Amino acid sequence: MIASDRQQATVDAILQALTGDQALAALVGQRIFDAPPGRAVTPEITIKLVTAMDQSSADTDAQRLVFDLDVWDRYALGTDLSRPRIIMGHIRRILHLRALTLVGANLVVLRCINAQGPFRDPDNVALHGIVTVSALAGHETPS
């Protein structure tokens, strides 16, 4: 499996885990994207690859992938940060220490390694929080 295949397969598995959770769906519906949509209704979550590092050894092929899951919401007068904070909590609950199966790879172990915000963006329109997830993908034995 080449690196780009593993990255997309990991994103697909994260999307499936998040969209399959009823509590999160009650807050964001199906607005979970692997690329920022144009003018989407908020709240929404976008997934972006931050880094991809080789973690292979002499007998295994593996890659560590780090993703930011950006939580976006709209600020309105009187709005507090509770909704994006709750969404970030659901992301951590769903993904932290979760093992996912990928096509062509034996194991992906996810860890939530950081969270920032939520905070009001300088435009005074967007509320933004970030959950950073690290995934170890691979550990298949080469043929």
Side-chain angles (χ1 to χ4, degrees):
M1 176 177 255
I2 62 173
S4 61
D5 290 341
R6 191 172 286 127
Q7 292 168 21
Q8 190 57 52
T10 304
V11 168
D12 293 344
I14 290 171
L15 284 168
Q16 183 177 14
L18 293 175
T19 57
D21 186 84
Q22 292 181 0
L24 184 60
L27 291 166
V28 299
Q30 295 297 308
R31 293 182 304 274
I32 304 172
F33 308 101
D34 62 353
R39 298 188 182 265
V41 176
T42 59
E44 70 178 28
I45 300 168
T46 56
I47 302 170
K48 109 183 130 188
L49 179 68
V50 176
T51 58
M53 299 162 277
D54 183 40
Q55 297 287 296
S56 300
S57 65
D59 62 348
T60 61
D61 178 28
Q63 193 176 34
R64 180 166 310 282
L65 307 168
V66 178
F67 297 93
D68 278 348
L69 284 79
D70 293 285
V71 175
W72 298 97
D73 206 347
R74 287 266 185 223
Y75 173 75
L77 191 58
T79 302
D80 62 21
L81 300 174
S82 62
R83 186 164 68 176
R85 186 173 288 120
I86 290 167
I87 293 168
M88 292 171 68
H90 282 296
I91 292 170
R92 290 189 303 268
R93 174 185 56 79
I94 295 164
L95 297 181
H96 188 61
L97 298 180
R98 183 165 185 155
L100 300 174
T101 302
L102 301 182
V103 175
N106 291 339
L107 181 65
V108 169
V109 177
L110 299 172
R111 287 183 50 233
C112 294
I113 59 173
N114 193 26
Q116 299 174 47
F119 47 86
R120 194 173 313 144
D121 273 3
D123 65 6
N124 270 336
V125 175
L127 297 174
H128 184 203
I130 304 166
V131 177
T132 303
V133 177
S134 173
L136 184 58
H139 285 279
E140 62 262 282
T141 305
S143 344

